[in-house]
Amino acid sequence: MINCEEMIQKVLIKLAKKNFPIFKYENNIALFSINEDRLNNLLNVIFKLCSKELFCFSIIREEYAEIEIVIYSTDEDKKIKILLENIEKKIILDYRKKVLKYKKYKIYPIIGPDGVGKTTLFSNTFDAKDKSLIYKRFKKIVRRSFIYNITYPINKYLLKKKLGKKPEKDQHDDIHYILVILAGLLYYPYLLFNSLVKNKVIFIDRFFNDYLLENISFLDKKTKLRDRWKNILKYIPTVYWMIHLDAKAKIILERKDELKRRDIKKYRKANFKIYLQKPSIVYTYINTGLELSFCQDILLKVSKRIGLFLSNDFSHQLNDDLLIAKGGERACYLHPEDNTKVVKSLFIQGSHNNQNKLEYIYMNYLKNKKKDLFHIANCYGYIKTNKGEGLVFDRVLNYDNTPAKSFRYMVANKILSLDEQKILLDELKNYLEENQILFVDTSLTNLFCPQIQKDKFKIIIVDGLGAKRMGLKFWLYRNSKFYTRYKIKRQWEKFMEMYKKDVKRAELAVRPFTRL
């Protein structure tokens, strides 16, 4: 087996041969910029190489026009980022709303052929005694349903007559796949109830995908996707995270000799084809022929990435080495698993302004209203840390991936001319007014100024949105357009007063800046 560095080079060479020239390569991240109609071809190349060379990977698409691929290693994971060109703003905003919606549905299918090790990996990774966790077998869900049990005896009798013998394992379900899919769809609202109302995390052993495949239970026939699989797929629920387990055919057959080698290969390819047709937000491919501990680490990494925690031990460790800055009630840390993200955590006890809760509510409000987040650090939800629940945001970086400086730092050190500052501030003011976004805590340190390309900057708001505290005013900011417009205008006037003082201070160089 080749190492991860060799693997990423192999991927890049293959992509170059397929006319996918690398756009940029820095900090061990390969960046591609392509048209959307070529995305599936690129992903197919990565899937085929990784599955062939026994590498595990994830495709993470939390933003419509930005896809991140992580290839896992025992040493250092490698990343490929794909930027889609010329995507309409409306599509991007609609997708953010979709991501927000499906992230609430904590229903995660684990797909893979019998013998791939679904139960083994799950039971050794997560605590089955955890009351917040539900583990369901899709087959049992279906076979215990009323509609299935009413029709099964008749269908089985007719199938026996047709085959001239008693149907073997799963052959009834293979033939009567519409019945199985219907039974699963009727049960699905109950899973949503458990996820949304009872706050349960649900893993499902197998999913509807298996029933889009034909002849998988008949050894004398070749497995294939059904003729109408794309039409059926439209009715199958979208999930946030799909886990696809796979292994060499030899390993699977040693565990359970129920399929032919050709069917295992077809299962692998068909399920990725299903993913490409109707992608989950996160797709993780794990080869269970590798060390169990390595497979466990991948599941835990992705779980943490999507903000999922299942036990007291399952938390991110924040420490002073990761500390970036400290405010009145929150501290900001570098994300321990992802250096492109930060974690905001409360550090004061007792009475406080619930800044994390307030910011989370306001960010979700903006996404639901399909507001443009071009000048705002995106929020990815809560994760569990050793310092309590933390809220994850994008880390503001320059185009070369170095940390950006605050706008106040740029003013104090005269890095930007006054004319350049005016252009950036005019852009920000127009953005806030057009999108009706309220920047309340108008400190210049709440604005960062990343360099997005050579000699080009923009302003990003990293804190101070929505309101300073919960209450009636915060409700009005989200529900009264008149009051919001008034408040935006008023806060901008306050901000400009603070800005002019800082400009004067920088020109005189008399009073030092204490916070930058």
Side-chain angles (χ1 to χ4, degrees), residues 153-164:
I154 302 167
N155 290 335
K156 186 179 179 182
Y157 172 76
L158 295 173
L159 185 57
K160 184 178 179 181
K161 288 194 72 175
K162 180 181 178 181
L163 298 175

Side-chain angles (χ1 to χ4, degrees), residues 358-374:
L358 189 150
E359 202 160 12
Y360 181 68
I361 291 171
Y362 194 68
M363 287 299 296
N364 283 349
Y365 160 78
L366 295 179
K367 290 178 182 180
N368 282 325
K369 293 290 185 181
K370 300 180 183 178
K371 302 291 187 181
D372 183 2
L373 302 183
F374 183 72

Side-chain angles (χ1 to χ4, degrees), residues 142-153:
V142 167
R143 291 172 183 175
R144 289 175 179 173
S145 69
F146 177 76
I147 189 171
Y148 186 92
N149 281 284
I150 286 292
T151 58
Y152 178 74

